[in-house]
Amino acid sequence: MAIDSSGLTATAAIVEDELTVAEYTVNYKKTHSQTLLPMIDEIVRMVEMDLTSVDAIAVAGGPGSFTGLRIGSATAKGLGLALHKPLIHVPTVDAMAYGIYGCEDLICPIMDARRNQVYTGLYSFVPEPVSEGSMETRYKFQVIRVQMAVSVEELIRRLNIYGRKVVFLGDGVPVYREALLAGLQVPCSFAPSFLNRQRAAAVGALGIEYFRKGMYETAAEHKPDYLRVSQAERERAERERNAAPQVRRMTMEDGAAVAEMEHQLFTDSWSEKSVQETLSQPNSICFLAEKAGRTAGYLLAYTAADEAEIARIGVMKEFQRQGVARVLLDELENLCRSEGTKRILLDVRSGNEAARALYAAAGYREDGIRQKFYENPQEDAVLMSRSV
């Protein structure tokens, strides 16, 4: 059984070794959630097939439409789990190219990924004589460039470098045909209607090749390849980048999370026990920064007389350069000012230019050098302070 709902086309097929037993393909204004299961049910009914007799389920695993891939993936996983059958993950553009069997030119499927980008790959077929003196020729499917998301301009640049005739197919053709013809310096052609969209029979035929090589997975293991994040995920990431960090006092329950961040950020990381011992000290100041509901950074400091010394400060890599460290420093300064602390001290690796620039921008000045203070690697410490 083979299915593909990665693009505008919905298609399902039953494929044997060298025979397409049945195929149902629709490219019309209906959602795949409306069409895919009824199509599968119809071809199974028409060929009087018992679904338990299939060896595996081949599914176009992406790239493609996020919604379409999820529907196809969910359908394949559901069938695989119910029938106790393995899944064969077939890259969408690989299967599209495989449908142009025997073509020795560059085969370039292009799916419209919006924002002047396409999902694509580069393929060809290499002739391999069956035996010496035989008139029969077989073709080996060659993946020249694995599936990728790339701008149309970059695709044109790469194709011009290859310098070979190109055959295009896919729903990106009507969108970018004029741009391709204007930019290409190599001969090109466009596949006819019966070859220019996804076909489940091609997914099944390539899936059989993969299956013979042991390239299959359980239904539980299957995940589609999106190549890019969805629009909703992009918008969420943008909101997270723009969200203001929130700072609160750290609790004992935060010790494990802070220790994990220490392990990810520093070679001389503190253990969970060390973090919790600091939290238990009456003269400690421990802050945790959160952004968009996620732990983003932390600051550990000690007070003595009218001074505070920062012992540790860290920001997770995905939140760096987003104002997290500066908010932690400002929060410490505000607390020190309210409690009568006159001066804040810290030390920083001499080679950590980004941190030194951050502290300088926050009003800290360099007071001196403590030679070979840091280990792993050995490095001088720059002593810095600022008045509150």
Side-chain angles (χ1 to χ4, degrees):
M1 173 70 68
I3 58 178
D4 188 337
S5 60
S6 59
L8 298 174
T9 301
T11 176
I14 297 169
V15 182
E16 293 181 353
D17 287 346
E18 296 186 5
L19 177 67
T20 299
V21 178
E23 184 178 31
Y24 194 152
T25 300
V26 175
N27 188 354
Y28 194 65
K29 302 174 183 178
K30 288 190 177 182
T31 65
H32 297 325
S33 59
Q34 292 176 296
T35 58
L36 195 57
L37 280 172
M39 289 164 58
I40 293 171
D41 182 65
E42 179 66 13
I43 60 175
V44 169
R45 185 185 64 81
M46 286 291 292
V47 301
E48 300 177 345
M49 177 184 181
D50 182 354
L51 270 177
T52 60
S53 66
V54 302
D55 295 305
I57 300 162
V59 56
S65 156
F66 292 92
T67 301
L69 287 174
R70 290 184 181 114
I71 292 170
S73 176
T75 302
K77 287 169 75 75
L79 289 170
L81 290 168
L83 300 171
H84 305 288
K85 302 294 181 180
L87 266 58
I88 308 167
H89 183 127
V90 179
T92 304
V93 287
D94 289 27
M96 292 173 69
Y98 196 71
I100 315 294
Y101 181 82
C103 178
E104 297 179 38
D105 299 327
L106 276 183
I107 305 170
C108 184
I110 53 174
M111 300 175 67
D112 184 15
R114 309 290 178 85
R115 300 188 175 194
N116 206 42
Q117 287 195 325
V118 292
Y119 298 123
T120 187
L122 296 177
Y123 310 87
S124 189
F125 283 89
V126 179
E128 294 184 328
V130 175
S131 60
E132 187 175 351
S134 173
M135 296 299 293
E136 181 184 1
T137 299
R138 292 178 184 170
Y139 288 90
K140 179 182 178 182
F141 185 52
Q142 183 181 36
V143 179
I144 297 171
R145 180 62 172 85
V146 296
Q147 59 185 16
M148 57 184 169
V150 67
S151 69
V152 176
E153 291 78 9
E154 176 63 16
L155 176 61
I156 291 171
R157 186 189 71 81
R158 295 186 186 193
L159 291 173
N160 286 333
I161 291 173
Y162 279 108
R164 295 172 57 181
K165 182 179 178 181
V166 189
V167 179
F168 292 102
L169 66 151
D171 60 37
V173 168
V175 181
Y176 299 111
R177 182 171 184 149
E178 290 185 7
L180 292 168
L181 291 172
L184 284 172
Q185 299 169 10
V186 295
C188 68
S189 61
F190 300 91
S193 61
F194 61 93
L195 293 175
N196 68 10
R197 293 295 189 272
Q198 289 90 333
R199 292 282 300 272
V203 174
L206 189 53
I208 288 172
E209 297 298 318
Y210 288 174
F211 188 74
R212 287 172 176 162
K213 296 175 182 178
M215 298 167 59
Y216 51 84
E217 59 194 354
T218 66
E221 291 171 329
H222 174 74
K223 292 180 181 178
D225 293 326
Y226 296 114
L227 293 192
R228 291 192 334 183
V229 297
S230 68
Q231 178 66 26
E233 290 168 319
R234 285 195 296 271
E235 292 175 354
R236 177 185 174 186
E238 186 65 25
R239 287 195 301 270
E240 289 184 353
R241 280 193 295 271
N242 295 332
Q246 303 296 315
V247 178
R248 63 174 174 83
R249 297 298 286 261
M250 198 183 297
T251 67
M252 285 291 183
E253 287 71 25
D254 297 317
V258 172
E260 177 60 27
M261 286 189 283
E262 277 275 314
H263 178 72
Q264 293 183 37
L265 293 170
F266 303 115
T267 56
D268 59 341
S269 59
W270 284 16
S271 65
E272 181 179 354
K273 181 180 179 182
S274 297
V275 174
Q276 290 184 332
E277 285 177 351
T278 298
L279 279 164
S280 66
Q281 297 297 317
N283 65 328
S284 67
I285 301 172
C286 304
F287 289 129
L288 196 74
E290 297 173 322
K291 191 170 183 183
R294 297 169 59 195
T295 302
Y298 58 94
L299 181 149
L300 307 176
Y302 296 99
T303 60
D306 60 352
E307 292 183 337
E309 181 174 1
I310 298 174
R312 307 293 282 184
I313 182 170
V315 177
M316 293 300 291
K317 288 189 180 352
E318 61 265 37
F319 292 107
Q320 290 176 4
R321 303 184 188 279
Q322 297 180 35
V324 176
R326 186 58 185 268
V327 169
L328 285 164
L329 291 171
D330 290 346
E331 192 72 17
L332 176 64
E333 180 186 341
N334 292 335
L335 180 64
C336 289
R337 185 178 294 113
S338 67
E339 295 185 349
T341 302
K342 303 299 184 185
R343 194 160 169 256
I344 303 175
L345 313 173
L346 62 86
D347 55 69
V348 59
R349 285 182 177 270
S350 59
N352 193 343
E353 297 292 343
R356 291 172 65 179
L358 167 70
Y359 298 137
Y364 289 79
R365 68 175 187 274
E366 296 187 3
D367 299 324
I369 298 290
R370 187 175 294 162
Q371 294 185 347
K372 299 180 180 179
F373 177 75
Y374 288 106
E375 302 290 341
N376 194 25
Q378 191 174 78
E379 197 169 1
D380 294 342
V382 177
L383 306 180
M384 304 185 73
S385 68
R386 69 154 295 165
S387 299
V388 179

